[in-house]
Amino acid sequence: GGYRFNLNDSTDRKVGNYWLLRPGVSFAANDRTTLSANLKWTGKNPDRIKGKRVGTFASDTYADFGVGYSFTNQTSISVDAQ
């Protein structure tokens, strides 16, 4: 998970803070192949212009699935789809 705190700058606009959660699971299908599944949830607080909120809290949830393959001990590839 994560949280991004946006600091005020010299403008009248303050970008809303951002939350991120990304739980997932991976397991080995065999000695060279790994399968994975993740959920990604993001939430963003509303922006502020001259101290007034613009918009509302917004959130999104995505699922992605992936497969990884190891060609050698030093070479592998991983592909994810959302």
Side-chain angles (χ1 to χ4, degrees), residues 26-61:
S26 297
F27 64 93
N30 59 38
D31 65 327
R32 294 193 175 267
T33 307
T34 302
L35 303 174
S36 63
N38 298 291
L39 282 177
K40 179 182 173 186
W41 177 86
T42 58
K44 183 181 174 296
N45 291 331
D47 296 346
R48 291 181 179 267
I49 297 177
K50 295 185 179 180
K52 290 188 175 186
R53 285 185 178 190
V54 178
T56 61
F57 182 83
S59 67
D60 290 310
T61 304

Side-chain angles (χ1 to χ4, degrees), residues 22-27 34-40 62-68 78-81:
R22 191 169 189 230
V25 63
S26 297
F27 64 93
T34 302
L35 303 174
S36 63
N38 298 291
L39 282 177
K40 179 182 173 186
Y62 302 99
D64 63 41
F65 304 94
V67 62
S78 179
V79 179
D80 294 324

Side-chain angles (χ1 to χ4, degrees), residues 57-77:
F57 182 83
S59 67
D60 290 310
T61 304
Y62 302 99
D64 63 41
F65 304 94
V67 62
Y69 185 79
S70 175
F71 298 101
T72 67
N73 287 342
Q74 291 82 25
T75 308
S76 64
I77 188 170

